[in-house]
Amino acid sequence: MDRDGGVETVHGAHRLKVDTLVRLRWLAVIGQSAAVAGVHLGLGYPLSFGPCFLTIACSALLNIVLRIRYPMSARLDPALASLILGFDVLQLCVLLFLTGGLQNPFSLLVLAPVMISATALPPWRTLLLGGFALALTTGLAFFHLPLPWIPGETLALPLPYVIGIWWAIQLGLGFTGVYAWRVAEEARQLAHALSATELVLEREQHLSQLDGLAAAAAHELGTPLATIALVVRELDHSIGPGHPMAEDIALLREQVGRCREILATLTSLGTNDAGPLDRLTLSHLIEEVAGPQRGFDVPIAITCEGEGREPVTARNPGVLYGLGNIVDNAVDYARTQVRIEARWTADTVSLTVRDDGPGFTPDILLRLGEPYVTSRGAERRGITRRSDDGDGDANGHGLGVFIAKTLIERSGAEVHWTNAPTPEEGAIVTVIWPRRAFEPAQVNGKA
């Protein structure tokens, strides 16, 4: 946890980039200068021209200081970013004080710094910034210089109307702040979840690459092993059966043969002739997914049936991980049994995982498959286990289901989550592939 109460990430999710703040402030300086100059020089309305431009110059000076002090790629500490945004609120409110307070139509711009904070800073800092803006705008409702108007005339809006503007600004602060924070938070969660997915894929790809490394190692070891076999054969020919070392040489010859068999197996891992090691029938796929879960108290029943030849698919680490996560969750929640049902036709291949547990709650079912959606909790189940994402925590974060769904859908499948119809209980997860996606042409050709 970071000092702001949020999860600290390597990507600086709660840090504003200096370049972003500087660019936005230059836009504000240009806009404010144009508005003040246009009203005073263009329209001829009297206002505190000097103090207004001095206030705008303070923003420009802050930009220059930030440019000198920090590289543009730097990300500011949340505390410093909050102070800078607070300065923006104060600068704008001073400018509004000089030009009519809340009667000035540009008073709505006080929302901008709060929205920026909501998208990039921790919620409690945004709340403080919003409270600061609330206090300043409340003061502007009663204390301000006259609104610039036609010389010789004074425009004074009724107090109820000004209070209405004040309410509109406060509601805008609340609504836009919460809305911007929610959208940004969802984007951050999705980015974190996708990063976790990429890490899982990278791990599975590394495991797959071990096949090639094993084949390369076998190839390199082939030559010295052949030399050893030749020396053993020569020694065997040079000594008689009754020699004291005859048994040792026989044992050595046996072990050399065993090494050759192992190297032959390793060599096949990196070739197209690896046989069952690079392709799986549907039933073998299910057995490989369910195997790690058979050590628990909940039995797993498997049924496979369909039309014609059983489908054969290429080994896909992502699919194995995704299906394994689904079966893992089913075993976790089941009371007495988990059933895995596989069916295939000429056009589709489907796999259904059922458990007899409590099923999905309605609120979770509507959002299942999104990142950071979970109903896990050790106290709810009365047991403690690893979390969805395998980080060893008892309380999952919903990433496991999101990653499983993402990996399986990458193989061309659709994943559906539902509950068993009453009076039955339990959750049902169905994965459906078009047969052409489950059984690629190159696998069909070898089947």
Side-chain angles (χ1 to χ4, degrees):
M1 302 291 286
D2 63 13
R3 291 173 298 172
D4 296 295
V7 178
E8 187 174 5
T9 68
V10 296
H11 301 293
H14 290 298
R15 292 178 181 268
L16 273 170
K17 198 175 179 181
V18 173
D19 187 59
T20 301
L21 287 176
V22 169
R23 290 178 182 273
L24 291 175
R25 190 172 293 104
W26 281 130
L27 287 177
V29 167
I30 294 172
Q32 292 170 359
S33 300
V36 170
V39 170
H40 184 69
L41 302 178
L43 299 177
Y45 293 174
L47 52 75
S48 303
F49 189 75
C52 285
F53 264 96
L54 181 61
T55 304
I56 298 172
C58 290
S59 279
L61 180 61
L62 177 60
N63 262 4
I64 294 173
V65 171
L66 289 175
R67 282 281 188 183
I68 296 173
R69 176 64 179 82
Y70 298 99
M72 289 299 98
S73 60
R75 293 185 178 273
L76 296 174
D77 180 84
L80 180 57
S82 299
L83 290 175
I84 293 175
L85 291 174
F87 168 83
D88 291 336
V89 172
L90 177 62
Q91 186 264 354
L92 181 59
C93 288
V94 170
L95 201 58
L96 290 173
F97 171 80
L98 297 172
T99 56
L102 297 188
Q103 299 181 46
N104 190 320
F106 291 104
S107 59
L108 187 65
L109 293 177
V110 77
L111 301 177
V114 179
M115 286 189 62
I116 295 173
S117 175
T119 59
L121 298 181
W124 73 270
R125 292 192 177 276
T126 301
L127 188 62
L128 289 178
L129 189 64
F132 182 57
L134 170 62
L136 292 179
T137 52
T138 301
L140 288 175
F142 301 99
F143 306 102
H144 56 82
L145 296 181
L147 179 71
W149 198 243
I150 301 172
E153 297 184 15
T154 301
L155 178 63
L157 298 177
L159 182 60
Y161 184 82
V162 174
I163 292 177
I165 296 176
W166 179 86
W167 270 111
I169 291 176
Q170 308 319 314
L171 292 176
L173 285 172
F175 175 78
T176 58
V178 172
Y179 180 82
W181 171 80
R182 183 59 185 169
V183 171
E185 186 66 17
E186 288 180 356
R188 280 191 291 266
Q189 290 180 351
L190 182 60
H192 297 165
L194 289 176
S195 296
T197 302
E198 293 301 326
L199 289 175
V200 171
L201 278 177
E202 183 179 356
R203 183 186 68 181
E204 298 299 329
Q205 288 170 356
H206 286 168
L207 292 177
S208 299
Q209 290 168 358
L210 289 178
D211 293 350
L213 293 175
H219 177 74
E220 295 296 328
L221 291 173
T223 300
L225 184 62
T227 302
I228 295 172
L230 178 61
V231 172
V232 169
R233 188 164 54 250
E234 293 296 332
L235 289 174
D236 192 28
H237 290 163
S238 64
I239 64 175
H243 194 279
M245 296 184 62
E247 292 184 2
D248 294 334
I249 293 176
L251 178 62
L252 187 58
R253 183 173 61 251
E254 178 185 344
Q255 295 303 312
V256 168
R258 184 181 176 189
C259 287
R260 281 181 166 176
E261 292 176 0
I262 294 173
L263 290 182
T265 302
L266 292 177
T267 304
S268 69
L269 291 177
T271 67
N272 292 330
D273 299 325
L277 295 175
D278 71 332
R279 55 191 174 126
L280 297 168
T281 62
L282 181 58
S283 57
H284 288 155
L285 172 67
I286 297 172
E287 288 292 344
E288 185 164 336
V289 167
Q293 305 300 326
R294 291 192 182 277
F296 296 96
D297 295 335
V298 178
I300 300 177
I302 299 175
T303 59
C304 297
E305 58 184 14
E307 304 172 3
R309 176 180 56 83
E310 183 178 359
V312 179
T313 187
R315 179 180 293 275
N316 186 325
V319 172
L320 291 173
Y321 178 88
L323 294 177
N325 184 276
I326 292 175
V327 175
D328 183 26
N329 287 342
V331 171
D332 211 26
Y333 284 104
R335 293 190 176 96
T336 61
Q337 187 185 55
V338 171
R339 288 181 293 161
I340 304 178
E341 302 168 357
R343 292 184 174 83
W344 63 88
T345 66
D347 300 320
T348 62
V349 176
S350 66
L351 191 151
T352 303
V353 180
R354 302 171 182 264
D355 65 68
D356 57 356
F360 302 114
T361 59
D363 58 324
I364 293 296
L365 187 60
L366 291 174
R367 301 174 55 207
L368 203 59
E370 298 179 14
Y372 298 94
V373 175
T374 181
S375 60
R376 289 193 180 278
E379 64 283 351
R380 190 176 76 82
R381 300 188 306 277
I383 60 174
T384 300
R385 63 173 299 277
R386 69 182 184 279
S387 66
D388 286 350
D389 48 12
D391 60 5
D393 187 10
N395 298 319
H397 299 95
L399 279 179
V401 173
F402 170 78
I403 293 172
K405 180 175 182 289
T406 301
L407 295 179
I408 293 173
E409 287 181 344
R410 283 187 176 183
S411 69
E414 294 181 0
V415 184
H416 302 281
W417 322 82
T418 187
N419 287 324
T422 53
E424 297 181 14
E425 289 185 337
I428 301 176
V429 182
T430 304
V431 183
I432 303 175
W433 288 271
R435 185 149 180 164
R436 64 181 181 275
F438 183 84
E439 201 171 28
Q442 60 269 27
V443 177
N444 283 332
K446 296 194 299 181

